[in-house]
Amino acid sequence: MFKGTSRSLAALAVGVAMASPLALAQSRARDAGAPPPARDAGASATAPAGPAVALRFRYAAGTRARYAVRSNQTAQGLTSNISQTLEVETQRVQGDGSAEQRARTLSFNMESGALPPQQRQALQQSMMGAVFQYRVDGRGRVVSRQPVQGLQGSLTELGDQVWQTVEGSLPVLPEAPVAVGATWNETKQVRFALGAARLAMRVDLTYTLRELRRVAQGQTAIIGVAMNLTVTQGVGAPNVTVSGSGRATGEVQFSIDRGALLRSSSNLSLDVNFVARGSRPSTMRMTATSEFALQ
């Protein structure tokens, strides 16, 4: 059972590669009494300094942007690599500043020892017709989304896992203006598949505004991200319980002038524990890296 699960993990780990800061479901305020989120060792230890800036996404109906998305996941010696080109179109902007957007895949390539060649080829072909529609607010929070369109059967779940990597690349911006050195927290609840198991995970994030930088695209905010990951609920095969924890770090480059994400990258390590009645506990370690960059 564990061997089969680990092979599925390497393929479906895209859904956990939320280390790009979050394969989010719905986000919510941080629970009172919750464990403090991880702190990035590269974050500023000094008090916030300099002018405060407002960080907000800016949307305009009819605009399109292309992103190169790359991810790598390794579990139990099995590695999966995915690269794709994604086009994001803003269809309409609401009065509250949120936007209805549609994302579609222009190119998709997957290299994986965890999927049979025929299934991998079917996924690659199907992803070319997949459409993701969602609504996102000015802080980068996906407040609603529709089921992935254009995929059928078992590929629907795989496509949904791939899409979560894209969702996870959106940083959650602070409510109020912040200065360099300031931090803000967010908690997200994530649900994903791990072979036959269905898991729920809590992601506690700490964002730190590290730097305001002048580049060709104008003023850019460099934001560090640190995460604590905790599997809060795990349901696997009969008489098998699942738990886990991990950590992740990442960096976001956000254009203040354009109100757009320029780049997001992350590294994640997650240990998933399986306990079957009458058997010794088993631990599976997964590592993942991801990058989301504006072309």
Side-chain angles (χ1 to χ4, degrees):
M1 175 263 185
F2 296 135
K3 180 178 179 181
T5 301
S6 67
R7 294 181 66 84
S8 297
L9 170 62
L12 298 179
V14 182
V16 192
M18 78 219 121
S20 5
L22 17 274
L24 49 133
Q26 296 291 329
S27 64
R28 58 181 172 81
R30 187 165 167 238
D31 291 344
R39 291 193 63 83
D40 190 342
S44 171
T46 60
V53 294
L55 304 177
R56 283 292 182 275
F57 283 92
R58 300 178 184 176
Y59 308 112
T63 59
R64 298 183 181 186
R66 290 188 179 184
Y67 288 89
V69 184
R70 297 180 178 85
S71 63
N72 169 278
Q73 304 86 35
T74 299
Q76 304 291 78
L78 292 174
T79 299
S80 295
N81 294 288
I82 292 178
S83 60
Q84 63 178 313
T85 302
L86 192 75
E87 182 180 76
V88 179
E89 177 187 2
T90 298
Q91 296 179 297
R92 58 185 60 87
V93 179
Q94 306 294 342
D96 61 0
S98 65
E100 295 181 20
Q101 294 187 321
R102 178 176 62 189
R104 63 187 184 95
T105 301
L106 301 182
S107 67
F108 185 91
N109 181 68
M110 180 179 188
E111 299 176 358
S112 175
L115 282 179
Q118 186 174 5
Q119 188 175 4
R120 187 172 67 248
Q121 183 177 8
L123 175 62
Q124 291 181 166
Q125 293 176 345
S126 296
M127 285 300 296
M128 295 300 295
V131 176
F132 312 98
Q133 291 191 282
Y134 56 97
R135 185 165 67 90
V136 58
D137 69 11
R139 294 179 60 197
R141 299 177 299 180
V142 176
V143 295
S144 65
R145 70 179 176 95
Q146 299 179 17
V148 178
Q149 302 173 28
L151 297 178
Q152 298 179 350
S154 61
L155 295 179
T156 300
E157 186 173 60
L158 285 172
D160 189 69
Q161 301 291 327
V162 172
W163 169 242
Q164 287 192 70
T165 302
V166 177
E167 284 192 66
S169 299
L170 295 176
V172 176
L173 302 176
E175 181 67 36
V178 290
V180 172
T183 64
W184 60 99
N185 298 323
E186 187 76 14
T187 293
K188 297 185 179 294
Q189 298 293 336
V190 181
R191 296 186 182 276
F192 63 99
L194 182 59
R198 296 297 182 268
L199 307 181
M201 180 181 293
R202 175 190 176 110
V203 184
D204 289 305
L205 303 101
T206 296
Y207 293 95
T208 302
L209 179 57
R210 291 177 175 169
E211 179 185 354
L212 295 176
R213 182 184 301 171
R214 280 288 175 186
V215 297
Q217 294 90 341
Q219 190 177 34
T220 299
I222 309 300
I223 303 169
V225 189
M227 287 161 275
N228 276 336
L229 315 172
T230 306
V231 176
T232 56
Q233 180 182 0
V235 179
N239 301 320
V240 177
T241 59
V242 186
S243 62
S245 62
R247 294 172 65 87
T249 59
E251 182 180 271
V252 171
Q253 296 180 15
F254 181 80
S255 172
I256 298 174
D257 296 340
R258 298 170 59 182
L261 175 65
L262 300 178
R263 183 177 179 271
S264 172
S265 61
S266 61
N267 292 275
L268 169 147
S269 177
L270 175 68
D271 289 328
V272 181
N273 308 307
F274 299 90
V275 180
R277 184 180 299 176
S279 301
R280 297 179 60 183
S282 175
T283 298
M284 181 189 307
R285 167 157 290 189
M286 189 197 82
T287 59
T289 62
S290 61
E291 181 182 52
F292 192 86
L294 181 67
Q295 292 186 323

